[in-house]
Short mmCIF file of all heavy atoms in Angstrom, two decimals:
data_model
loop_
_atom_site.label_atom_id
_atom_site.label_comp_id
_atom_site.label_asym_id
_atom_site.label_seq_id
_atom_site.Cartn_x
_atom_site.Cartn_y
_atom_site.Cartn_z
N PHE P 17 0.85 -1.18 0.00
CA PHE P 17 0.00 0.00 0.00
C PHE P 17 0.89 1.24 0.00
O PHE P 17 2.09 1.17 0.24
CB PHE P 17 -0.96 0.02 1.19
CG PHE P 17 -0.30 0.20 2.53
CD1 PHE P 17 -0.06 1.47 3.06
CD2 PHE P 17 0.08 -0.91 3.27
CE1 PHE P 17 0.55 1.63 4.29
CE2 PHE P 17 0.69 -0.75 4.50
CZ PHE P 17 0.92 0.51 5.01
N ALA P 18 0.29 2.37 -0.27
CA ALA P 18 1.02 3.64 -0.26
C ALA P 18 0.14 4.70 0.37
O ALA P 18 -1.09 4.60 0.38
CB ALA P 18 1.41 4.05 -1.68
N ARG P 19 0.77 5.69 0.92
CA ARG P 19 0.06 6.85 1.49
C ARG P 19 0.60 8.10 0.82
O ARG P 19 1.78 8.20 0.51
CB ARG P 19 0.27 6.95 3.00
CG ARG P 19 -0.34 5.81 3.79
CD ARG P 19 -0.41 6.15 5.26
NE ARG P 19 -0.98 5.04 6.03
CZ ARG P 19 -0.26 4.27 6.83
NH1 ARG P 19 1.03 4.49 6.98
NH2 ARG P 19 -0.83 3.29 7.49
N TYR P 20 -0.27 9.07 0.68
CA TYR P 20 0.09 10.31 0.01
C TYR P 20 -0.28 11.49 0.88
O TYR P 20 -1.37 11.53 1.45
CB TYR P 20 -0.64 10.41 -1.35
CG TYR P 20 -0.34 9.24 -2.24
CD1 TYR P 20 -1.15 8.11 -2.22
CD2 TYR P 20 0.77 9.25 -3.08
CE1 TYR P 20 -0.86 7.02 -3.02
CE2 TYR P 20 1.07 8.16 -3.88
CZ TYR P 20 0.25 7.05 -3.84
OH TYR P 20 0.53 5.97 -4.63
N ARG P 21 0.62 12.44 0.96
CA ARG P 21 0.31 13.67 1.69
C ARG P 21 -0.63 14.52 0.85
O ARG P 21 -0.82 14.29 -0.34
CB ARG P 21 1.60 14.42 2.02
CG ARG P 21 2.55 13.64 2.90
CD ARG P 21 1.94 13.27 4.24
NE ARG P 21 1.64 14.45 5.02
CZ ARG P 21 2.49 14.99 5.89
NH1 ARG P 21 3.67 14.45 6.08
NH2 ARG P 21 2.13 16.04 6.58
N ASP P 22 -1.22 15.52 1.48
CA ASP P 22 -2.22 16.34 0.80
C ASP P 22 -1.70 16.94 -0.50
O ASP P 22 -2.44 17.04 -1.49
CB ASP P 22 -2.70 17.45 1.73
CG ASP P 22 -3.57 16.92 2.85
OD1 ASP P 22 -4.01 15.75 2.75
OD2 ASP P 22 -3.81 17.65 3.82
N VAL P 23 -0.43 17.33 -0.54
CA VAL P 23 0.12 17.97 -1.74
C VAL P 23 0.13 17.01 -2.93
O VAL P 23 0.20 17.43 -4.08
CB VAL P 23 1.55 18.49 -1.51
CG1 VAL P 23 1.53 19.64 -0.52
CG2 VAL P 23 2.48 17.37 -1.05
N ALA P 24 0.09 15.71 -2.64
CA ALA P 24 0.19 14.72 -3.70
C ALA P 24 -1.12 13.98 -3.95
O ALA P 24 -1.30 13.39 -5.02
CB ALA P 24 1.27 13.70 -3.35
N SER P 25 -2.01 14.02 -2.99
CA SER P 25 -3.23 13.20 -3.06
C SER P 25 -4.02 13.51 -4.32
O SER P 25 -4.32 14.67 -4.62
CB SER P 25 -4.08 13.46 -1.82
OG SER P 25 -5.22 12.63 -1.82
N GLY P 26 -4.36 12.45 -5.05
CA GLY P 26 -5.15 12.60 -6.26
C GLY P 26 -4.34 12.93 -7.50
O GLY P 26 -4.86 12.86 -8.61
N ARG P 27 -3.07 13.28 -7.34
CA ARG P 27 -2.24 13.65 -8.49
C ARG P 27 -1.04 12.72 -8.66
O ARG P 27 -0.57 12.51 -9.78
CB ARG P 27 -1.73 15.08 -8.36
CG ARG P 27 -2.82 16.14 -8.29
CD ARG P 27 -2.20 17.54 -8.37
NE ARG P 27 -1.28 17.79 -7.26
CZ ARG P 27 -0.08 18.34 -7.41
NH1 ARG P 27 0.37 18.68 -8.61
NH2 ARG P 27 0.68 18.56 -6.34
N PHE P 28 -0.51 12.22 -7.55
CA PHE P 28 0.69 11.40 -7.59
C PHE P 28 0.34 9.96 -7.27
O PHE P 28 -0.52 9.68 -6.41
CB PHE P 28 1.73 11.88 -6.57
CG PHE P 28 2.28 13.26 -6.83
CD1 PHE P 28 1.86 14.05 -7.87
CD2 PHE P 28 3.26 13.77 -5.97
CE1 PHE P 28 2.39 15.32 -8.08
CE2 PHE P 28 3.80 15.02 -6.17
CZ PHE P 28 3.35 15.80 -7.22
N THR P 29 1.01 9.04 -7.93
CA THR P 29 0.82 7.61 -7.67
C THR P 29 2.18 6.93 -7.66
O THR P 29 2.97 7.11 -8.60
CB THR P 29 -0.06 6.97 -8.75
OG1 THR P 29 -1.31 7.65 -8.82
CG2 THR P 29 -0.32 5.50 -8.42
N SER P 30 2.42 6.14 -6.65
CA SER P 30 3.67 5.42 -6.57
C SER P 30 3.43 3.94 -6.82
O SER P 30 2.40 3.40 -6.40
CB SER P 30 4.34 5.63 -5.20
OG SER P 30 5.66 5.15 -5.22
N SER P 31 4.37 3.29 -7.48
CA SER P 31 4.23 1.88 -7.78
C SER P 31 5.60 1.22 -7.71
O SER P 31 6.63 1.88 -7.84
CB SER P 31 3.64 1.69 -9.18
OG SER P 31 4.46 2.28 -10.16
N ARG P 32 5.57 -0.08 -7.50
CA ARG P 32 6.82 -0.85 -7.44
C ARG P 32 7.01 -1.69 -8.69
O ARG P 32 6.04 -2.20 -9.25
CB ARG P 32 6.82 -1.78 -6.22
CG ARG P 32 6.98 -1.09 -4.88
CD ARG P 32 7.14 -2.10 -3.78
NE ARG P 32 7.36 -1.47 -2.49
CZ ARG P 32 8.55 -1.21 -1.97
NH1 ARG P 32 9.64 -1.51 -2.67
NH2 ARG P 32 8.67 -0.64 -0.78
N ASP P 33 8.24 -1.83 -9.09
CA ASP P 33 8.64 -2.78 -10.13
C ASP P 33 9.74 -3.63 -9.50
O ASP P 33 10.92 -3.33 -9.62
CB ASP P 33 9.14 -2.05 -11.37
CG ASP P 33 9.47 -3.01 -12.50
OD1 ASP P 33 9.55 -4.22 -12.25
OD2 ASP P 33 9.65 -2.55 -13.64
N SER P 34 9.31 -4.66 -8.81
CA SER P 34 10.26 -5.47 -8.04
C SER P 34 11.27 -6.16 -8.94
O SER P 34 12.41 -6.39 -8.55
CB SER P 34 9.52 -6.47 -7.17
OG SER P 34 8.75 -5.82 -6.19
N ALA P 35 10.86 -6.50 -10.16
CA ALA P 35 11.79 -7.16 -11.09
C ALA P 35 12.98 -6.26 -11.41
O ALA P 35 14.08 -6.75 -11.67
CB ALA P 35 11.05 -7.55 -12.36
N LYS P 36 12.74 -4.93 -11.37
CA LYS P 36 13.81 -3.97 -11.65
C LYS P 36 14.35 -3.33 -10.38
O LYS P 36 15.15 -2.40 -10.45
CB LYS P 36 13.31 -2.90 -12.62
CG LYS P 36 12.95 -3.44 -13.99
CD LYS P 36 12.53 -2.32 -14.93
CE LYS P 36 12.22 -2.87 -16.32
NZ LYS P 36 11.81 -1.81 -17.27
N ASN P 37 13.87 -3.83 -9.22
CA ASN P 37 14.33 -3.28 -7.94
C ASN P 37 14.14 -1.78 -7.88
O ASN P 37 15.02 -1.03 -7.44
CB ASN P 37 15.81 -3.65 -7.70
CG ASN P 37 16.12 -3.85 -6.24
OD1 ASN P 37 15.25 -4.15 -5.42
ND2 ASN P 37 17.39 -3.69 -5.88
N THR P 38 12.97 -1.35 -8.33
CA THR P 38 12.71 0.08 -8.54
C THR P 38 11.32 0.45 -8.02
O THR P 38 10.40 -0.38 -8.04
CB THR P 38 12.80 0.41 -10.04
OG1 THR P 38 14.14 0.16 -10.48
CG2 THR P 38 12.44 1.86 -10.32
N VAL P 39 11.20 1.68 -7.56
CA VAL P 39 9.91 2.27 -7.22
C VAL P 39 9.74 3.51 -8.09
O VAL P 39 10.69 4.26 -8.32
CB VAL P 39 9.83 2.64 -5.73
CG1 VAL P 39 8.56 3.43 -5.44
CG2 VAL P 39 9.86 1.38 -4.87
N HIS P 40 8.53 3.71 -8.58
CA HIS P 40 8.23 4.86 -9.43
C HIS P 40 7.29 5.83 -8.72
O HIS P 40 6.52 5.44 -7.83
CB HIS P 40 7.56 4.40 -10.72
CG HIS P 40 8.38 3.44 -11.52
ND1 HIS P 40 9.53 3.82 -12.19
CD2 HIS P 40 8.23 2.12 -11.75
CE1 HIS P 40 10.04 2.78 -12.80
NE2 HIS P 40 9.27 1.72 -12.55
N LEU P 41 7.33 7.07 -9.13
CA LEU P 41 6.37 8.07 -8.68
C LEU P 41 5.84 8.77 -9.92
O LEU P 41 6.56 9.55 -10.56
CB LEU P 41 7.00 9.08 -7.72
CG LEU P 41 6.04 10.12 -7.15
CD1 LEU P 41 5.04 9.46 -6.21
CD2 LEU P 41 6.80 11.23 -6.42
N ARG P 42 4.61 8.50 -10.24
CA ARG P 42 3.97 9.15 -11.37
C ARG P 42 3.30 10.43 -10.87
O ARG P 42 2.50 10.38 -9.94
CB ARG P 42 2.91 8.24 -11.99
CG ARG P 42 2.11 8.87 -13.13
CD ARG P 42 2.93 9.06 -14.36
NE ARG P 42 2.14 9.60 -15.47
CZ ARG P 42 2.64 9.82 -16.68
NH1 ARG P 42 3.91 9.53 -16.95
NH2 ARG P 42 1.86 10.30 -17.63
N MET P 43 3.64 11.55 -11.47
CA MET P 43 3.12 12.84 -11.04
C MET P 43 2.34 13.47 -12.18
O MET P 43 2.90 13.75 -13.25
CB MET P 43 4.27 13.76 -10.61
CG MET P 43 5.17 13.13 -9.55
SD MET P 43 6.42 14.27 -8.91
CE MET P 43 7.38 14.57 -10.39
N ASN P 44 1.05 13.70 -11.95
CA ASN P 44 0.18 14.33 -12.94
C ASN P 44 -0.25 15.72 -12.49
O ASN P 44 -0.12 16.07 -11.31
CB ASN P 44 -1.06 13.47 -13.17
CG ASN P 44 -0.74 12.10 -13.74
OD1 ASN P 44 0.18 11.96 -14.55
ND2 ASN P 44 -1.48 11.09 -13.33
N SER P 45 -0.77 16.49 -13.41
CA SER P 45 -1.29 17.83 -13.11
C SER P 45 -0.28 18.66 -12.34
O SER P 45 -0.61 19.33 -11.35
CB SER P 45 -2.61 17.72 -12.32
OG SER P 45 -3.56 16.98 -13.05
N LEU P 46 0.95 18.64 -12.78
CA LEU P 46 2.00 19.36 -12.08
C LEU P 46 1.80 20.87 -12.17
O LEU P 46 1.33 21.39 -13.20
CB LEU P 46 3.36 18.97 -12.63
CG LEU P 46 3.84 17.56 -12.22
CD1 LEU P 46 4.98 17.10 -13.11
CD2 LEU P 46 4.26 17.55 -10.77
N GLN P 47 2.14 21.55 -11.09
CA GLN P 47 2.00 22.99 -10.99
C GLN P 47 3.34 23.60 -10.58
O GLN P 47 4.20 22.90 -10.05
CB GLN P 47 0.91 23.34 -9.99
CG GLN P 47 -0.47 22.80 -10.37
CD GLN P 47 -0.95 23.34 -11.71
OE1 GLN P 47 -0.77 24.51 -12.05
NE2 GLN P 47 -1.56 22.46 -12.50
N PRO P 48 3.51 24.90 -10.80
CA PRO P 48 4.78 25.53 -10.41
C PRO P 48 5.16 25.27 -8.95
O PRO P 48 6.35 25.18 -8.63
CB PRO P 48 4.52 27.01 -10.69
CG PRO P 48 3.55 26.99 -11.83
CD PRO P 48 2.65 25.83 -11.56
N GLY P 49 4.17 25.13 -8.09
CA GLY P 49 4.45 24.84 -6.68
C GLY P 49 5.07 23.48 -6.44
O GLY P 49 5.54 23.20 -5.33
#
């Protein structure tokens, strides 16, 4: 599971790729902030 702070909730999604020993963070609707 993953948890997201308010700044990320609804816009950011994190996922694992265990085969590549990697975690990703997908960030949508990015703003200057």
